[in-house]
Amino acid sequence: MMDQIVHKNLKVNGINMHVAEIGQGPESVLFLHGFPELWYSWRHQMLHLSARGYRAIAPDLRGYGDTDAPPSVSSYTMFHIVGDLVALLDALGLERVFLVGHDWGAIVAWSFCLFRPDRIKALVNTSVVFQPRHPSVKPIEGCRALIGDAFYMCRFQEPGKAEEAFASAGVTAVMRRFLSTRESKPPCLPEDMSLFLKAPPEALPSWLTEEDVSYYASKFQRSGFTGGLNYYRAMDLNWELTAPWTGSQIKVPVKFIIGNMDLTYHFPGVKEYIENGGFKKHVPLLEELVVLEGVAHFLTQEKPEEVSHHIYDFIKKF
C-alpha cells in the first residue's frame, strides 16, 4: 500500500514543500510530524484513514526532509510554519480539514487552532499538551529553572553545537537513538551530546525496522538537522511574538492522546495539569482524553492501529 502514496512538491508561502498524500474522500486529514521525524511517521495512519474514505495529507514541515530549510532561526516562528500550512490548504483547494499532530507537530497544531480555527474542523493531538503562554517567563528560561542547563531543549539552543554532535555520532546512530528511546524522564544530555548519541540501543523496538531507520537517516543525511533544531531555537522568539494571544483558549473540538511512558507526560507539572483540570480550562472543547498504558513517545508508530482507531473514532463524528 505504501506505493499508493503520492508525493508532490508545492510552492507555499515562499518555500517548496514536499507533501505525501493518499485517498480521494470528501473529508481531508492533515498530519503534522515532530522531531526528528518526517511525513513518514504517519504512514500507518494515512493508510488506515484513506481506506475509510478520507484524504490523508502529510507534509514534511519547513526545515525537514524534502521541504526547504531556510537557514535563519527567525524563519521558524509559528507564524511561518502555520502560514506554510494555510498556504498548503489553499494550494490543495481545501477550506477546512481535520488536524492531527505529534510532538512539535502538536505544538504547531495548537498554534494553528489559535491563529486560524476557521480552517480546522477538529483536532486530534498527541504527546504535547497545550501550554498557555506565560505572561512573564520565556520558555527556555522556564526550562532552565525547572530542569537545568542539561535539559535537551537548553542544550539545543547554541547554533551549530548539536549539529556537530549529531555529525560526530553519525546520522543513522542519531535516528536509532532518538526513535528507540523509552526513557520517560525529561531528557538531560551531557555537554558533549555525542556521548549520548553514540550509545544507540543494540536492538530496535519491534515496531521500528532497519528499513524505517534507513529512510529517516537518508533524508536527514541530505537535509541536516538545523531546520528541526531551529524550532527549539525559535521558542523564545515565538514567546515574544505571541503576546497578543496571552490567555487565549483553543476553541475547536479536541481529542488528546498520550502514552503513560511518554517523556512529555513526565515533564514537571504536566501530569497534574492534565489531571487537575488545567488542561480542560485552556482547551474547553476537549472531548476525549486517552492515556495509553505502557506506551512511550513515538506512539503513532509504536501503536499504529490503536492510534489510527482513536483518530478515526473521533473525526467520524463530525
Side-chain angles (χ1 to χ4, degrees), residues 17-287:
M17 174 173 272
H18 166 249
V19 183
E21 90 173 80
I22 184 172
Q24 302 295 324
E27 301 284 2
S28 298
V29 187
L30 178 63
F31 294 93
L32 308 179
H33 68 79
F35 176 91
E37 298 181 85
L38 302 162
W39 75 269
Y40 187 79
S41 299
W42 297 107
R43 59 198 180 279
H44 306 296
Q45 288 73 35
M46 293 177 74
L47 297 177
H48 185 97
L49 288 170
S50 64
R52 284 155 181 79
Y54 289 87
R55 181 181 181 185
I57 303 156
D60 285 336
L61 295 177
R62 171 182 292 242
Y64 286 92
D66 294 320
T67 293
D68 287 351
S72 171
V73 171
S74 63
S75 296
Y76 290 83
T77 72
M78 280 297 137
F79 296 113
H80 288 90
I81 299 158
V82 173
D84 295 345
L85 299 171
V86 170
L88 173 61
L89 297 190
D90 291 345
L92 296 174
L94 299 172
E95 184 60 34
R96 298 173 75 217
V97 295
F98 293 108
L99 191 61
V100 183
H102 173 252
D103 189 77
W104 262 107
I107 297 171
V108 174
W110 293 125
S111 295
F112 199 152
C113 292
L114 273 184
F115 302 158
R116 294 301 303 272
D118 58 304
R119 306 301 295 265
I120 307 302
K121 291 185 176 180
L123 167 65
V124 179
N125 234 357
T126 71
S127 287
V128 182
V129 294
F130 174 65
Q131 291 281 14
R133 180 186 182 275
H134 194 289
S136 59
V137 179
K138 293 183 178 182
I140 298 304
E141 176 187 331
C143 287
R144 284 204 172 94
L146 276 173
I147 305 173
D149 289 336
F151 185 50
Y152 75 107
M153 292 185 187
C154 302
R155 291 283 191 222
F156 287 172
Q157 292 303 306
E158 185 180 334
K161 188 168 183 180
E163 288 92 330
E164 289 175 13
F166 290 7
S168 173
V171 174
T172 299
V174 170
M175 297 314 303
R176 288 176 69 96
R177 188 72 175 92
F178 275 114
L179 294 173
S180 298
T181 185
R182 295 191 67 79
E183 178 59 61
S184 60
K185 295 177 183 175
C188 291
L189 308 181
E191 192 159 358
D192 181 356
M193 286 176 273
S194 64
L195 296 175
F196 164 83
L197 298 166
K198 285 177 179 174
E202 292 181 14
L204 294 174
S206 60
W207 53 266
L208 187 67
T209 69
E210 292 292 351
E211 183 183 14
D212 296 333
V213 173
S214 294
Y215 184 85
Y216 283 111
S218 69
K219 296 300 181 181
F220 280 98
Q221 186 70 53
R222 188 193 65 79
S223 69
F225 289 90
T226 298
L229 291 165
N230 278 343
Y231 284 62
Y232 295 94
R233 293 167 184 160
M235 287 172 70
D236 283 353
L237 176 59
N238 275 314
W239 178 86
E240 294 174 11
L241 294 173
T242 55
W245 283 269
T246 302
S248 293
Q249 296 174 312
I250 300 296
K251 291 292 186 69
V252 305
V254 174
K255 179 173 186 171
F256 185 74
I257 310 167
I258 194 168
N260 75 331
M261 292 180 64
D262 194 323
L263 55 94
T264 62
Y265 192 53
H266 296 276
F267 282 6
V270 167
K271 199 181 299 187
E272 294 77 12
Y273 174 66
I274 292 173
E275 293 174 353
N276 297 341
F279 189 28
K280 176 70 173 176
K281 175 185 173 184
H282 295 291
V283 187
L285 302 184
L286 177 67
E287 296 185 13

